[in-house]
């Protein structure tokens, strides 16, 4: 078998406990009085919250005790439906400490999507907040209509008394005061790295999102490894608004920052003016942004006048490096890499101290313990160096399996996951990604399934044919574009279609543009009546320069 292997896991630098609860305990022991989390709370109006590592460790134990008091057993699914706030971090580690599985639920999900994920993952306890922007999650959960027993416990930050079956956060924590500390310690000590620890949902190639079940080891290991990859330490003050229900927010931002003893300056939802103010006030050293967020920051009127002189970990040609107050660290580069939600983010990477010229030539080398094999997508034959095929991966950060599927349904006979991505590795062990073999659209850091949108449009009365594709976009990476053919005699505007989808999909999945085509104008194959995507893409590129049609 031709397999590319990363360094032995035993040789990995600075790797500690491989359970999430154990990792936090180690970090708290080393950095007890150091700031771990800083948060301006718009929900409770309590001003700026500052938790030390000792605070976070104690709060995680209080959540763990509350879960035990609620009857949570090892393996039970605990949904966490929160924005970036300290209680969300405490909930993740608290659930992990009692052997529960933390199901990280998207705050972007529509009520119907949320109800589906709750039922699909088998969540019995949800830890949430009452409001986030225009959403009221307590009301959404009350309408979730789960089969069987459904939710047994809902605890929410931001309510003062029980509402719609949800209890106030402080009351939930208070119920754990009667839990025997010895029982709590025994539960914590019984957790092993191999146990299921986290479920993350990501859009798939079917109508419903995919739930990935990860072990405790997978995320704990990534926290340690990525801290080293990014060069973080206890002087790091990282700002990001990326959510914890994305692997980028969890496994490359929050987790590695805490493993290194740094501080996460939290922002619940991205707003560029507020973000700039936080970076200046909190003397942020590393901004972790997506391209469209960086662009919004640079376009903000306060950009040039904001004191960003504390920033040192900035990409050489990014807007941050061009800021008049930023000197940066010339030896640091933004790590370049390749990974998936199935591998807890990066699987292949160039660390922060890689020479810039080298980092431009590939995606990097395998992380410790990782294995990669390239196969011919049609025959399954194993390919060698410089031979392009489908990338397949295995290793300690790979998911256990998809929720609702067996490992045998997710991996091949040798235990490798077929990524659907094309690439190769060279003779020096560097991995090269050359494109997606699947249709997934990556927009603003999120994965969007064209099939999911197309399925919803089957219920849209005026639409006869719908085809969704990703179009390159300087800010979002890819823009979601819908190509639609209307039924004979039907009329609809671009806003009509977008409004229809807005009630059924998360906001980032709603197409930014809707292009209308006449019957027969979308190129189709003659044999099986399928859309010729390459030819349609050419038409779309031509049409994108035109004003949006009204019907």
């Amino acid at each position: 078998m031709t397999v590319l292997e990363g360094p032995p896991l035993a040789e990995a630098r600075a790797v500690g406990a491989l359970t999430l609860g154990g990792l936090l305990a180690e970090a708290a022991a080393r950095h007890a009085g150091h700031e771990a989390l800083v948060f301006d709370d718009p929900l409770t109006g309590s001003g700026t919250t500052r938790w030390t590592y000792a605070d976070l460790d104690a709060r995680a134990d209080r959540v763990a005790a509350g879960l035990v008091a609620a009857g949570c057993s090892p393996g039970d699914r605990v949904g966490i439906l929160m924005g970036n706030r300290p209680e969300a971090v405490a909930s993740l580690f608290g659930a992990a400490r009692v052997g529960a599985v933390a199901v990280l639920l998207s705050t972007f999900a529509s009520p119907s999507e949320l109800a589906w994920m709750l039922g699909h993952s088998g969540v019995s306890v949800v830890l949430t907040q009452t409001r986030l922007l225009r959403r009221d999650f307590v009301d959404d959960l009350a309408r979730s209509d789960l089969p069987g027993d459904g939710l047994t416990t809902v605890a929410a930050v931001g309510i003062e008394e029980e509402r719609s079956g949800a209890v106030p956060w402080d009351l939930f924590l208070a119920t754990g005061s009667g839990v025997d500390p010895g029982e709590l310690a025994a539960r914590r000590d019984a957790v092993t790295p191999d146990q299921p620890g986290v479920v993350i949902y990501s859009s798939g190639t079917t109508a419903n999102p995919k739930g990935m079940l990860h072990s405790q080891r997978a995320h704990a290991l990534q926290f340690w490894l990525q801290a080293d990859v990014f060069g973080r330490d206890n002087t790091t003050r990282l700002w990001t608004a990326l959510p914890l229900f994305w692997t980028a927010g969890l496994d490359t931002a929050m987790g590695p920052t805490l493993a290194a003893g740094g501080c996460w300056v939290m922002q619940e939802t991205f707003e560029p003016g507020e973000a700039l103010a936080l970076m200046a006030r909190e003397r942020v050293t590393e901004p972790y942004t997506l391209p469209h967020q960086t662009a919004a920051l640079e376009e903000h009127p306060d950009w040039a006048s904001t004191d960003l002189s504390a920033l040192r970990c900035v990409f050489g040609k990014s807007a941050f490096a061009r800021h008049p107050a930023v000197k940066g660290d010339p030896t640091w580069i933004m790590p370049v890499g390749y990974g998936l939600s199935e591998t807890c983010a990066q699987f292949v990477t160039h660390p922060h101290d890689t020479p810039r010229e080298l980092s431009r030539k590939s995606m990097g080398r395998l992380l410790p313990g990782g294995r990669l094999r390239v196969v011919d997508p049609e025959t399954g034959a194993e390919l060698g160096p410089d031979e392009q095929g489908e990338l397949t991966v295995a290793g300690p950060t790979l998911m256990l399996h998809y929720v609702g599927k067996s490992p045998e349904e997710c991996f091949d006979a040798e235990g490798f996951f077929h990524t659907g991505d094309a690439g190769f590795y060279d003779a020096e062990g560097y991995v090269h990604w050359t494109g997606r073999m699947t249709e997934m659209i990556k927009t603003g850091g999120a994965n969007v399934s064209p099939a999911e949108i197309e399925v919803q449009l089957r219920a849209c009365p005026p639409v006869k044919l719908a085809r969704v594709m990703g179009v390159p976009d300087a800010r979002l990476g890819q823009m979601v574009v819908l190509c639609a053919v209307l039924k004979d005699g039907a009329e609809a505007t671009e806003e009509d279609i977008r409004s229809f989808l807005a009630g059924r999909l998360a906001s980032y999945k709603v197409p930014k543009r809707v292009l209308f085509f006449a019957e027969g104008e979308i190129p189709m194959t003659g044999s099986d009546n399928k859309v010729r995507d390459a030819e349609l893409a050419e038409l779309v590129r031509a049409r994108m320069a035109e004003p949006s049609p009204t019907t």
Side-chain angles (χ1 to χ4, degrees):
M1 181 185 296
T2 306
V3 177
L4 181 67
E5 296 191 0
L9 192 55
E11 297 178 6
R13 297 183 294 184
V15 172
L18 291 178
T19 64
L20 292 170
L23 182 148
L24 177 59
E26 281 194 24
R30 293 173 185 167
H31 313 286
H34 192 71
E35 276 189 348
L37 304 172
V38 174
F39 178 60
D40 290 351
D41 193 346
L43 176 60
T44 64
S46 57
T48 301
T49 297
R50 297 182 184 275
W51 282 7
T52 65
Y53 276 83
D55 293 332
L56 176 56
D57 189 57
R59 301 279 182 146
D61 271 349
R62 291 193 68 192
V63 171
L67 291 172
V68 171
C72 189
S73 299
D76 284 354
R77 307 295 170 89
V78 175
I80 300 174
L81 180 62
M82 295 189 195
N84 289 346
R85 55 184 305 117
E87 293 90 348
V89 182
S91 295
L92 169 66
F93 286 108
R97 281 187 166 172
V98 295
V101 178
V103 180
L104 304 182
L105 297 164
S106 172
T107 59
F108 299 155
S110 68
S112 60
E113 290 174 319
L114 178 60
W116 184 89
M117 286 188 284
L118 291 169
H120 181 254
S121 59
V123 164
S124 57
V125 175
V126 172
L127 308 179
T128 188
Q129 61 192 83
T130 179
R131 287 185 293 102
L132 182 61
L133 296 177
R134 299 179 182 177
R135 296 290 295 277
D136 187 319
F137 293 124
V138 171
D139 287 348
D140 287 347
L141 291 168
R143 296 194 300 265
S144 61
D145 192 27
L146 293 180
D149 294 334
L151 298 180
T152 60
T153 303
V154 176
V157 178
I159 56 175
E160 300 298 326
E161 56 186 26
E162 185 171 343
R163 174 162 71 84
S164 301
V167 299
W169 186 253
D170 288 343
L171 179 58
F172 163 73
L173 295 179
T175 62
S177 61
V179 174
D180 179 9
E183 179 186 357
L184 200 60
R187 289 278 294 268
R188 183 175 59 240
D189 293 344
V191 177
T192 67
D194 292 330
Q195 280 183 231
V198 177
V199 170
I200 288 183
Y201 276 92
S202 176
S203 295
T205 54
T206 58
N208 291 317
K210 296 180 295 184
M212 284 146 282
L213 178 63
H214 291 286
S215 68
Q216 295 248 353
R217 172 188 283 107
H219 289 285
L221 180 59
Q222 276 289 29
F223 291 4
W224 296 117
L225 293 177
Q226 296 301 321
D228 188 48
V229 165
F230 279 83
R232 294 179 188 146
D233 58 27
N234 63 0
T235 67
T236 295
R237 293 183 70 81
L238 177 137
W239 170 89
T240 192
L242 298 188
L244 294 181
F245 50 81
W246 287 357
T247 52
L250 177 64
D251 293 298
T252 58
M254 183 279 286
T257 300
L258 297 184
C263 176
W264 177 19
V265 178
M266 314 175 80
Q267 189 176 13
E268 196 166 40
T269 57
F270 176 67
E271 196 287 314
E274 178 187 335
L276 289 170
L278 281 170
M279 288 185 211
R281 188 191 78 195
E282 296 300 326
R283 305 295 291 164
V284 165
T285 63
E286 182 184 345
Y288 194 90
T289 63
L290 295 174
H292 69 286
Q293 294 174 335
T294 307
L297 291 168
E298 187 177 28
E299 293 166 1
H300 194 275
D302 294 340
W303 169 256
S305 62
T306 300
D307 179 8
L308 299 180
S309 58
L311 296 186
R312 63 172 188 260
C313 297
V314 297
F315 181 65
K317 291 186 177 180
S318 73
F320 291 107
R322 298 192 299 269
H323 190 279
V326 176
K327 293 186 174 68
D329 178 354
T331 66
W332 189 91
I333 68 163
M334 170 61 77
V336 175
Y338 166 79
L340 313 97
S341 298
E342 286 85 350
T343 61
C344 301
Q346 284 188 348
F347 193 79
V348 173
T349 191
H350 284 295
H352 72 281
D353 54 358
T354 303
R356 295 186 189 279
E357 289 303 317
L358 180 59
S359 71
R360 296 187 181 106
K361 296 179 180 178
S362 71
M363 304 308 291
R365 285 178 164 149
L366 290 168
L367 286 169
R371 294 181 291 153
L372 180 140
R373 187 180 60 179
V374 181
V375 300
D376 185 304
E378 295 185 1
T379 66
E382 297 162 4
L383 305 176
D386 299 315
E387 294 183 302
Q388 180 167 286
E390 182 183 12
L391 303 177
T392 70
V393 297
T397 67
L398 183 61
M399 66 178 180
L400 298 173
H401 55 80
Y402 288 122
V403 175
K405 293 184 177 293
S406 66
E408 291 75 19
E409 295 176 278
C410 302
F411 312 118
D412 64 22
E414 286 76 37
F416 282 79
F417 175 72
H418 290 242
T419 67
D421 288 329
F424 64 94
Y425 63 89
D426 60 32
E428 295 181 314
Y430 288 101
V431 178
H432 301 256
W433 177 82
T434 56
R436 294 182 180 273
M437 301 180 71
T438 61
E439 294 182 336
M440 188 63 63
I441 300 169
K442 191 83 167 182
T443 181
N447 288 326
V448 175
S449 165
E452 180 181 8
I453 301 171
E454 292 164 7
V455 165
Q456 294 296 334
L457 285 166
R458 292 174 187 171
C460 186
V463 174
K464 179 178 181 180
L465 173 66
R467 187 65 171 172
V468 176
M469 57 180 19
V471 174
D473 182 81
R475 176 171 292 190
L476 297 172
Q478 287 182 297
M479 178 190 295
V480 181
V481 176
L482 166 63
C483 303
V485 176
L486 300 182
K487 297 173 183 176
D488 291 342
E491 293 185 358
T493 66
E494 183 169 6
E495 191 54 37
D496 290 339
I497 304 299
R498 285 170 44 80
S499 296
F500 174 85
L501 291 172
R504 296 166 175 260
L505 298 170
S507 59
Y508 69 90
K509 299 177 184 179
V510 177
K512 300 295 184 186
R513 288 291 308 274
V514 178
L515 304 180
F516 294 90
F517 291 80
E519 183 74 36
E521 194 176 358
I522 291 183
M524 311 288 288
T525 61
S527 56
D528 51 8
N529 201 37
K530 291 183 178 179
V531 175
R532 295 183 183 272
D533 286 328
E535 295 176 31
L536 179 59
E538 291 295 329
L539 294 176
V540 168
R541 277 192 283 270
R543 290 279 295 276
M544 288 290 285
E546 302 174 2
S548 300
T550 57
T551 60

